Structures are given as structure tokens and as C-alpha cells.
Amino acid sequence: MQLFEQPCPGEDPRPGGQIGEVELSTYTPPAGVPGKPAAPHFLPVLCCVSPSGSRVPCDLLGGPGGFTLEDALFGLLFGADATLLQSPVVLCGLPDGQLCCVILKALVTSRSAPGDPNALVKILHHLEEPVIFIGALKTEPQAAEAAENFLPDEDVHSDCLVALGHHGRMLAIKASWDESGKLVPELREYCLPGPVLCAACGGGGRVYHSTPSDLCVVDLSRGSTLLGPEQPEEGPGGLPPMLCPASLNICSVVSLSASPRTHEGGTKLLALSAKGRLMTCSLDLDSEIPGPARMTTESAGRKIKELLSGIGNISERVSFLKKAVDQRNKALTSLNEAMNVSCALLSSGTGPRPISCTTSTTWSRLQTQDMLMATCVLENSSSFSLDQGWTLCIQVLTSSCALDLDSACSAITYTIPVDQLGPGARREVTLPLGPGENGGLDLPVTVSCTLFYSLREVVGGALAPSDSEDPFLDECPSDVLPEQEGVCLPLSRHTVDMLQCLRFPGLAPPHTRAPSPLGPTRDPVVTFLETCREPGSQPAGPASLRAEFLPPSVASIKVSAELLRAALKDGHSGVPLCCATLQWLLAENAAVDVVRARALSSIQGVAPDGADVHLIVREVAMTDLCPAGPIQAVEIQVESSSLADICRAHHAVVGRMQTMVTEQAAQGSSAPDLRVQYLRQIHANHETLLREVQTLRDRLCTEDEASSCATAQRLLQVYRQLRHPSLILL
């Protein structure tokens, strides 16, 4: 700080020679952190203060930056030397928070008698934040009212010094009397809303300060209406214990000036906004901010109850809304998992599926009846989890429903909720396939496994929870809920045929042989009559009569030995072709290991209804098809006394052959030269037999019971001829 001599009127207006200098010690904050906004730069705040008896003209005190303090406060702040010398004092508010002063006449005398520079600077206080404003005002009611009536060019003696920091810390200093009657300085710090952009002192002991969001006013005068009648007051000359800022609803004011009281009785503010707009604001705080009326105990209690009730309602609403948000977040997470699972399953193609379901069958005895059970194993090999909304649907479709689409469907669907099936986990489900209540088992049976994701359960439950009694949640519109019930993802389709259901009680060792499989539940009257027959007599049931008097029905199919060798080369090397073929046919039967161990080429089993079924595999030579010589073939023959069982077994064998021929045809296999004329003759013979079948079936519908017996016998013979074709699969 440098002090220069002021030129006399008529001389060069430039400052005269330097008559004093002192250096103020400040702390410079370190540079900002790279990558973050730089800290705002603050300049020092300077103002000139003079005692009330000073003969220095008012216009020489620095204009708006200078003011006069009462002698009592001036002497307490700056000491007896400044009071005796009647010297103006420069107050400095520094960016590091220091509030210090320099006595100008002491600075002048230091030129002739240099002394310690530190003695020239006195630190009054430290706000610990950048100083934004230094001012003074009248706080005593009578003095403040008189000060408001002064003319603008009249000198006002302030009794309170105010300093305001950037973050809202405010310092007020006033001369006060202690308990012993001694005059002492009273310092109070207040916390105001920040950050503070600018401030100004107005009449009536009011301080105006601006923040980015508002312009506020606080009142330091005693008995102020802004404090309210309930605020305790200090002793004479004291400062209020706390300040309550009042909002003026003006934002982003960067510079502010308060004019004296107007003729209308209000205060006029001149404000400059951050956008460069200059505004004048006329205020009448006495009428706009009346003091609050005194509240009775009853009204206070009622007000407290209303506030507590409002707090409770808001807390309840927050709780319900938080629950709703949690449900929707959970639904979004579930939808994301469902999308990932769907994409993984649909993009797997023919390769291994990330989520698979395998089906196997086995016989189990329940009470007095054997039951065919299907075991479905759902395995999660993906990295996703199947949680809420997922269901495993298993549909069991019998042959009667699959073949006749117009008939009443006898399909049964089982739904098993999938709960918490994480990666690597598996879920096993066992369900009965038959026989049913009528004792029959319609083969083949198709078991279809499908994953179902319920959009209604997940999305609908989150948007419109049924168990919520929240009166605050708006009802979800119906068009927001998904139109579809859910998403179906097929996993597997497994067909259970006669070859899988055959049982072979004769294959078990003698010491571990299980009792013969039980057939369907029998009529108790028939069981009673059988127990009453004479020992040694033959049973008289329908199955026994059919087995004794009717020849077994036979069906056969011939396959090229070369075709079978090409299809069975993997896993059957070194095994005779007939044995390998029988093992391939019974690959999904529980007895395949015993058949493989004994190298069997023929076997006799028991159908689900108790009838015997005989499978025979042998090598034959076809001599009439190829002119180059006989074709080596394998004949697969099925024998049974039950026409229904032989049809089912024959259907199962043909189905496996169709799959094998399709796979080999895709590999480009070629057939040998054949006698086309011979094939045409065989085809014509088959066409003739098929026409005869249609004629016989039509005749059965019109003939009486006596003549229909011969027709049925002939129809059975034609069917046997059709099941013994002279053709071969090549």
C-alpha cells in the first residue's frame, strides 16, 4: 500500500510524491487441480474510515468506499493513537480472509522515522474465507431513524462495522458495555446463505447481500421486525444473537448500491445483474415483512400436529414410491435377462444349446400297477439366470391326438415354475405317461418341453402391482401393459415309441430277476374266476385265446447292409451287423446295455399292455432286384399276437429308418443299378392290395355280422401282405 500527496487545486492533477508505503502479508492459495474448474480470483476490498471529529472532508474519504464511525467504536478498533491523531484509517479485506487496518498518519510519520513495518498493520479479524464486502451502519433504533432522515451529502456516524465473506460468514463489530460498565468491542459472527456475490449497507440497520439464486436482506438494528417479538434481546447496545435472511426474489446480482430513504418512506436499490441489466428496486420492508403474530399454545400444538401429519404422509409416500421403483428396477433386470436368454437360444442353431431339456423314460411300479415315467432334466449351461417369470411347460401328446387333428385332443400340459435356476444349475421333473384309467397307453407319445416367460407377470406386476394399497400411485393405463401373455422358447421334442417302452424280464440274471411286469388293472371278477379254475387248465382270457388260436402277426422291413454299415460305423466297430442293428433300435431303451453285453440279434419283450413282442434281426440276400447279383440286406422282423402292438412297433422301426435314410442321403450316397420293370411290378401289386383294402373296409360298413367275419379275415391277410414288402431300403 502506497500513500501519495494530493495535489492542490490548479496544480497537475497527477498524484504527487510518495509519502509512505507498507507491504501487507497475504496467503495465496495454491493453483487449482488439473482437470477441474479453476478457483475464482478475488481482489482485496479497501475502504477508508474516519472518526466522527475528523476535519477531513467527506469527499476525500473515497466517496462510497468511505464512512465515519462513532468515536467509541473507532477508538476500540484502532487504538488511542488513531483517535488522538484524528487520522483516517484504511481497512483492507484480503482474499485469504484477513481483515486488517493501516493508520494513514502513522504511515506518513514512518517516512521520517522508519520503524517496524509490522507495527503499521493491525489485524482486526480473520474470516477464513475471501472478504467480499466491508461496510458500516446504524443499529440503534433512534440513531438509525435519524440517519435515514439525513440528506445524501450529510455525514452519518455509524455504530457498527460489518465484513462479509464469500461463503456467507458475516462479522459485525459494535461498541458495547460489559457487566462492570466498561466499554468493550462486541464481535459476532453469523452464517448467511452463500456464495455471496456482492453486498451493501442500507438505512435502518439493514444489510443486503446477493447470491446466484437470490437477493436477501438481514436487519442488525435492535427491536427489528425481521427478528420477531419472540427473539431474545441482548443488553443495551448489543447485537442480535441470530439473523434471519428475508428473500427479495431477485437473482444473479453482481453489484449493489443502497440509496438513502426516499420521500415515500422506502429504500431504493441500484443493482447490476450478471447479464448486464441495470435495475432499480424500491422496497418498503416495514410493510412487506410484518412481524409474526404471537401464537397461542393451542394453535401451536395444532400446527405441530399438522406438520407431523404432513411429515408422516410424505414419509409414507416416499416408502410406497421407493417400493414401486424397486419393483420396476427388478422388472427391467428380469426383462434384460429374458432378452439375453432369448437371443442365446434363438442364435444357437444346430449347435449345443445354452439351455437344454433332455427327456428319458423308465418304468416304475406304483402300488399294484406299472407306470411309464418320463424324466425331463432342464439344464442351464449359459451365463444367465432364470428367475421370476420363467416357467417350464411340458406337453404330453398321445398318438390319437397327433394323428387326428379334428378329434378331441388328449394332450396334457404340465407347468413347473422355474425359480432361481442359476448358471450351471439343473432342475429335474418326473411325470407319468401311462397307462391311463382305461388301462391303455396310446403310443407313440410326444413330450414337448418349452420355456415360457410371462410378460404379464413381470411387466404387469411392476406397472400395476395387485398387492399394492398405495393411494399415491397412479393407475397404470391398459395400453401400457403388454398385449401378449408371454414369450415361448421351444427347447426339445421327444417321441416315446414302442421300442422305448418294451421291457425284457428274461434278460435279468436268475437271482436278480424282477417279477413279471404287470399289465393294466384287471377286472376283479376275471381275477376271481382265474383263481377258481382247475389246476393245469389253460387260462380263458382274450389274450390267452388270441395267443393260442391266432397265428402271431408279423411285420418286416429290409435294409441294405451297406446302408446300415455306413450309418452304424461310429460306435459299433467290430460288432456283427445284426447285433449292432438291434442295439441301434433299442438305444433309448433301459435294457440296451444288457443287449450290448450279450451281443443279441433277437429278443423277446413285453409291451405295455402285457402282450409279447419278438424282435428278430437277420441277414438276407435280395436276388431279384439287381442284375449285377444279389444285394446283401438286413431284415428286421417284428412278431406279436397283438395287432395294435405290432403296428406300434413297426411304426417305431420305420421312423428310425426314415431318419437314417435322410441323413445318409444328405451325404450323397448312390444306389446300385436296379431292375426297373421288376420294381414297377411290385409297385403295381402294392397298388392293387391298397385298393382291395379300401374295398374291404367299405364292405365291412354295409355287411351283417355273419358275412363280415370273412371280410375281416381277408382284410387281415391283405394287411399282412402289405407288412411284408418285397422292397428294400438302399
Side-chain angles (χ1 to χ4, degrees), residues 118-131:
N118 295 330
L120 300 176
V121 181
K122 179 181 180 183
I123 298 177
L124 300 178
H125 194 75
H126 205 302
L127 282 180
E128 300 179 357
E129 57 186 63
V131 179

Side-chain angles (χ1 to χ4, degrees), residues 31-253:
V33 180
K36 292 187 177 181
H41 180 68
F42 298 98
L43 296 176
V45 179
L46 304 177
C47 65
C48 188
V49 183
S50 63
S52 59
S54 175
R55 294 185 297 272
V56 180
C58 180
D59 57 349
L60 299 182
L61 295 177
F67 47 83
T68 303
L69 290 182
E70 289 185 348
D71 293 339
L73 181 59
F74 188 90
L76 291 173
L77 288 178
F78 309 120
D81 293 342
T83 304
L84 293 175
L85 294 175
Q86 292 288 303
S87 170
V89 177
V90 176
L91 284 176
C92 302
L94 302 180
D96 63 351
Q98 293 185 67
L99 181 62
C100 54
C101 63
V102 177
I103 302 174
L104 291 184
K105 289 187 177 180
L107 189 60
V108 172
T109 58
S110 67
R111 181 182 61 172
S112 57
D116 185 8
N118 295 330
L120 300 176
V121 181
K122 179 181 180 183
I123 298 177
L124 300 178
H125 194 75
H126 205 302
L127 282 180
E128 300 179 357
E129 57 186 63
V131 179
I132 295 297
F133 170 76
I134 301 175
L137 44 78
K138 281 281 188 179
T139 60
E140 295 296 334
Q142 298 81 5
E145 184 177 354
E148 291 177 352
N149 297 325
F150 285 159
L151 297 177
D153 55 350
E154 291 187 65
D155 193 10
V156 179
H157 300 166
S158 303
D159 60 0
C160 182
L161 180 67
V162 176
L164 191 59
H166 174 64
H167 299 296
R169 181 175 292 182
M170 175 177 170
L171 171 68
I173 307 176
K174 187 178 180 182
S176 181
W177 302 95
D178 62 3
E179 297 178 355
S180 60
K182 184 179 179 181
L183 196 64
V184 294
E186 178 185 3
L187 284 78
R188 279 191 182 271
E189 282 193 359
Y190 305 98
C191 289
L192 303 180
V196 178
L197 302 179
C198 61
C201 290
R206 297 185 177 97
V207 178
Y208 304 88
H209 70 282
S210 172
T211 67
S213 60
D214 205 353
L215 178 63
C216 302
V217 56
V218 293
D219 199 335
L220 291 172
S221 63
R222 289 171 46 81
S224 169
T225 57
L226 291 179
L227 296 176
E230 301 296 331
Q231 293 284 357
E233 295 186 0
E234 297 292 324
L239 291 169
M242 60 180 296
L243 298 179
C244 298
S247 173
L248 300 180
N249 298 322
I250 304 174
C251 63
S252 300
V253 174

Side-chain angles (χ1 to χ4, degrees), residues 343-662:
C343 293
L345 285 176
L346 296 177
S347 62
S348 59
T350 58
R353 313 198 76 181
I355 299 177
S356 61
C357 188
T358 57
T359 304
S360 60
T361 57
T362 183
W363 284 93
S364 178
R365 178 164 297 183
L366 299 178
Q367 296 179 356
T368 60
Q369 184 181 10
D370 286 351
M371 187 69 66
L372 182 64
M373 309 296 291
T375 302
C376 301
V377 180
L378 177 65
E379 187 170 3
N380 184 9
S381 303
S382 68
S383 58
F384 310 111
S385 179
L386 302 182
D387 296 324
Q388 179 192 7
W390 288 102
T391 303
L392 176 63
C393 300
I394 304 175
Q395 186 184 57
V396 179
L397 190 67
T398 60
S399 60
S400 60
C401 182
L403 297 178
D404 190 359
L405 299 179
D406 296 331
S407 64
C409 187
S410 59
I412 302 175
T413 301
Y414 301 88
T415 57
I416 300 95
V418 180
D419 188 19
Q420 299 295 330
L421 188 67
R426 51 189 295 169
R427 185 72 45 80
E428 185 175 303
V429 179
T430 302
L431 46 94
L433 297 181
E437 296 180 357
N438 58 355
L441 180 60
D442 293 330
L443 294 175
V445 175
T446 302
V447 181
S448 301
C449 298
T450 305
L451 267 182
F452 177 76
Y453 182 76
S454 176
L455 292 173
R456 288 277 179 175
E457 177 184 349
V458 177
V459 180
L463 295 180
S466 58
D467 58 342
S468 175
E469 300 178 356
D470 181 12
F472 306 108
L473 292 179
D474 297 332
E475 184 178 358
C476 180
S478 58
D479 57 348
V480 177
L481 298 177
E483 297 181 358
Q484 297 179 345
E485 291 290 337
V487 179
C488 289
L489 299 172
L491 294 180
S492 64
R493 184 183 179 91
H494 181 78
T495 300
V496 181
D497 54 26
M498 177 62 77
L499 294 181
Q500 300 177 39
C501 299
L502 288 177
R503 289 171 289 175
F504 307 98
L507 294 182
H511 61 279
T512 60
R513 184 169 300 174
S516 299
L518 295 177
T521 305
R522 307 180 65 181
D523 188 352
V525 176
V526 176
T527 306
F528 174 73
L529 293 176
E530 287 187 354
T531 57
C532 295
R533 64 183 174 85
E534 296 180 2
S537 60
Q538 296 295 329
S544 301
L545 293 176
R546 183 170 61 242
E548 181 179 0
F549 296 103
L550 291 179
S553 300
V554 180
S556 65
I557 183 171
K558 300 180 181 66
V559 190
S560 167
E562 182 181 357
L563 179 62
L564 279 175
R565 289 192 186 95
L568 304 179
K569 61 182 179 180
D570 297 333
H572 295 87
S573 59
V575 180
L577 186 58
C578 294
C579 300
T581 303
L582 184 60
Q583 296 171 18
W584 172 67
L585 291 175
L586 299 176
E588 295 178 297
N589 194 290
V592 64
D593 294 333
V594 181
V595 175
R596 185 182 296 109
R598 298 189 181 185
L600 300 177
S601 60
S602 65
I603 191 171
Q604 183 169 348
V606 179
D609 59 358
D612 293 336
V613 177
H614 194 191
L615 292 176
I616 303 172
V617 182
R618 58 191 173 198
E619 295 189 29
V620 295
M622 305 292 291
T623 58
D624 300 331
L625 291 177
C626 182
I631 298 177
Q632 297 298 321
V634 173
E635 183 183 29
I636 303 170
Q637 184 172 305
V638 182
E639 296 181 0
S640 179
S641 59
S642 171
L643 186 59
D645 290 336
I646 199 171
C647 291
R648 292 166 181 152
H650 187 235
H651 179 271
V653 174
V654 171
R656 283 164 173 73
M657 292 300 170
Q658 287 177 333
T659 303
M660 179 188 68
V661 170
T662 303

